[in-house]
Amino acid sequence: MDHPPDPTPVVSAWTGHVVVCGVHSDGVRIVEQLRQAGSTVVAVDAAPDAALLRLATGQEVPYLSGDSRVPATLEGAGIGGAAALICVEGDDLHNLATALVARALRPELRIVVGLRNAAVGRALADIGVSVVDVGKLSAPSVVEACLRTHSHELELGGESFLVTEVPCERAGTLGELYDDLAVLAIRPGGSRSVVVAPVPDREVVPGDIAVLVGRAAQIRSRGLGPRPLGEVATRFVGARAPRYSRPRPTALLRYLITSVDRRLTGVLLALGGLIVVSVTILLIGYREVDGRNMSPLDALYFTIETIGTVGFGDFYFRDQDPWLRGWAIALMVIGAGLVTLFFALLTNALISRTIAQSLGRRRVTGLSDHVVVVGLGSVGNAVVDGLRDAGSEVVVVDTDEENRFLATVRRQEIPVIIADATVPETFDMVRLAHARAVAVMTSDDLTNIEIGLAVRDLLGSRRLEVPVVLRVFDRQLADTVAASFDFRYVRSTAALAAPWFVGAALGLDVLGTFYVGSQPILVVSMPVGKATPVDGMKLGDVAATIMVASVRRADGTSAHLPSHETALAAGDVAYLIGPYEELLGMLGGR
């Protein structure tokens, strides 16, 4: 960089730096990764999160207080000499306005923005702005954790690769067990801790988990291909069609029959019993003037008209036995009472259903093997879409009756409970005892941890069977929570999405991000330029924790899972997989 930062910098004259607008969760993670990649960074925000601002400035990152939508603010941040601008404010409109202002000031500037609106994103892409949707990028990792597929399909150099976790079935070395496949990592004893890029002679024992990388056909031919640990196939494995269906005429009847107000069913049964008893009594005791018995149809007809308080007068009891006249009186009183009660309960059920639909609520009755998603923000909505595409049934819990995503889930016939997820009774409503997983996706870390602990207690003996996936921003906090409270699936959406922002800002081609245990993994393609540090480098000299999955040569040929003696040459493209800190650090300084 031409001008390294100092304690009181004047950044307007800097060149080659990256301007990051938005000192919030994603912004701070992006700043961290840019610094790890060796970039100089300037942070801009009019109202930053105080705690996160301290994290950013603690990395010797200068901070400018101002609205990034104002040209003077961007000029003060040195946009005239900046290499790139990243805008990750919490509001889509703010990000859009900043991108348009920056494009007007520097038409050739590399601009990256975080947006959730697909239509606006396509419009910005048309004018050369890179658009990143945090929710869509991080959702697949959450879906994978909920359905426990532990597999990722990658397209590297025109070849389909799989990254899949398999249990080690016998003791031995990795070279003996998986001689023709590459081992990306080992999770000893199936724990969250990860050993990345283990050596081939490392010993493993049954219970260890090996993370393998290879061509999809090769892995599947050995019977090691991705398969879900549950019964629901996912889109990583070949999804079946979602089980949601269009509303049918019988939907209302099913709702009434399965309503939690069981009194309605009881009244219907009582009415049916009364009708059967009345018809039987009339067939036995009623006599016409000519001495004939009442026919079954006449008996049913008289019973219904009496219960319905119609009384057409076509049947008389004046000449009948006293006990039969007593039964007629009882039939009128009991029947009228039961009919009145039936209509009262029916009206209550219909009104409750109407209110429930207007608030986005649906009673979850008879549902099992579903996933409960708590928090219907942009990330939660993307997770719901991913689960639904995977063929899994979903129940959503949110506290906001005005949530803008409610209309979307209503159209998909997804049950929504508007309630506080920190209250145990809420999870009775969503049938937690029958759920296959819980994803806690609110935007507040403390709330997510609180809900996660409550769910863990409610699950009791099923806590090891049911994945509880927590969204936690701070990666260090995520690791601490996972270790202290024994949560197996803690996901930082910022950690998953930040490499895409950094890669786009630095001109890198990021292909994917996912978790192995507690370790975020990055997949990138690296073009080899002439006279660059990697030109002529042997793959064995690449960082120890980075795997080269494939190399596409300048002549169009490819070398998959090449040996350490393979050398890179100008014009090659290497496809790298590894921990994002090491990859960004290596690629940022290449």
Side-chain angles (χ1 to χ4, degrees), residues 340-360:
T340 301
L341 185 58
F342 169 75
F343 281 111
L345 293 174
L346 178 63
T347 302
N348 179 69
L350 291 173
I351 292 175
S352 299
R353 177 178 171 86
T354 303
I355 293 175
Q357 288 179 332
S358 67
L359 295 180

Side-chain angles (χ1 to χ4, degrees), residues 74-216:
L74 296 181
E75 290 169 351
I79 191 174
L85 178 140
I86 300 175
C87 189
V88 284
E89 294 283 0
D91 180 65
D92 277 3
L93 184 59
H94 192 140
N95 292 335
L96 171 64
T98 299
L100 295 177
V101 170
R103 175 60 73 226
L105 293 174
R106 283 275 309 277
E108 78 284 3
L109 180 67
R110 187 180 294 127
I111 301 173
V112 188
V113 299
L115 278 179
R116 292 163 291 189
N117 188 295
V120 176
R122 288 191 294 270
L124 285 178
D126 290 340
I127 62 173
V129 175
S130 298
V131 178
V132 176
D133 186 330
V134 174
K136 288 185 177 179
L137 290 177
S138 54
S141 181
V142 177
V143 173
E144 171 210 324
C146 287
L147 303 182
R148 296 185 295 174
T149 55
H150 305 298
S151 298
H152 321 274
E153 189 156 358
L154 306 170
E155 193 73 22
L156 306 179
E159 182 76 24
S160 179
F161 279 75
L162 279 179
V163 180
T164 187
E165 297 187 13
V166 298
C168 298
E169 297 180 352
R170 60 184 177 88
T173 66
L174 294 174
E176 293 170 349
L177 297 176
Y178 312 109
D179 57 327
D180 56 342
L181 298 171
V183 181
L184 174 64
I186 289 292
R187 294 200 290 125
S191 65
R192 294 184 73 253
S193 61
V194 176
V195 178
V196 180
V199 295
D201 59 356
R202 180 185 175 93
E203 295 279 348
V204 292
V205 296
D208 291 348
I209 302 294
V211 184
L212 306 180
V213 180
R215 284 179 290 176

Side-chain angles (χ1 to χ4, degrees), residues 12 34 50 213 250-251 256 280 455 461 514 554-555:
S12 59
L34 284 168
V213 180
T250 58
L256 295 176
T280 303
V455 170
S461 60
F514 56 89
D555 61 4

Side-chain angles (χ1 to χ4, degrees), residues 197-346:
V199 295
D201 59 356
R202 180 185 175 93
E203 295 279 348
V204 292
V205 296
D208 291 348
I209 302 294
V211 184
L212 306 180
V213 180
R215 284 179 290 176
Q218 183 183 20
I219 288 181
R220 290 192 176 104
S221 68
R222 292 191 52 177
L224 301 174
R227 52 187 180 272
L229 300 184
E231 297 179 357
V232 179
T234 74
R235 64 192 176 94
F236 302 106
V237 191
R240 63 177 173 82
R243 285 183 281 175
Y244 295 99
S245 60
R246 295 180 179 179
R248 296 178 181 177
T250 58
L252 177 59
L253 179 60
R254 286 201 312 271
Y255 172 81
L256 295 176
I257 292 175
T258 60
S259 172
V260 289
D261 190 353
R262 300 299 180 185
R263 293 174 299 176
L264 184 60
T265 303
V267 170
L268 284 172
L269 291 175
L271 278 171
L274 180 64
I275 291 171
V276 171
V277 171
S278 177
V279 169
T280 303
I281 290 175
L282 291 173
L283 289 175
I284 295 173
Y286 190 89
R287 293 289 184 273
E288 298 285 358
V289 177
D290 58 4
R292 290 181 302 166
N293 288 343
M294 183 180 282
S295 69
L297 181 59
D298 285 343
L300 179 61
Y301 171 77
F302 174 78
T303 299
I304 298 300
E305 76 171 350
T306 303
I307 291 175
T309 66
V310 177
F312 292 113
D314 41 8
F315 292 97
Y316 297 94
F317 277 66
R318 183 176 57 187
D319 299 326
Q320 300 299 319
D321 293 338
W323 70 268
L324 192 57
R325 280 182 284 171
W327 167 250
I329 295 171
L331 179 62
M332 287 185 280
V333 174
I334 298 173
L338 288 176
V339 167
T340 301
L341 185 58
F342 169 75
F343 281 111
L345 293 174
L346 178 63

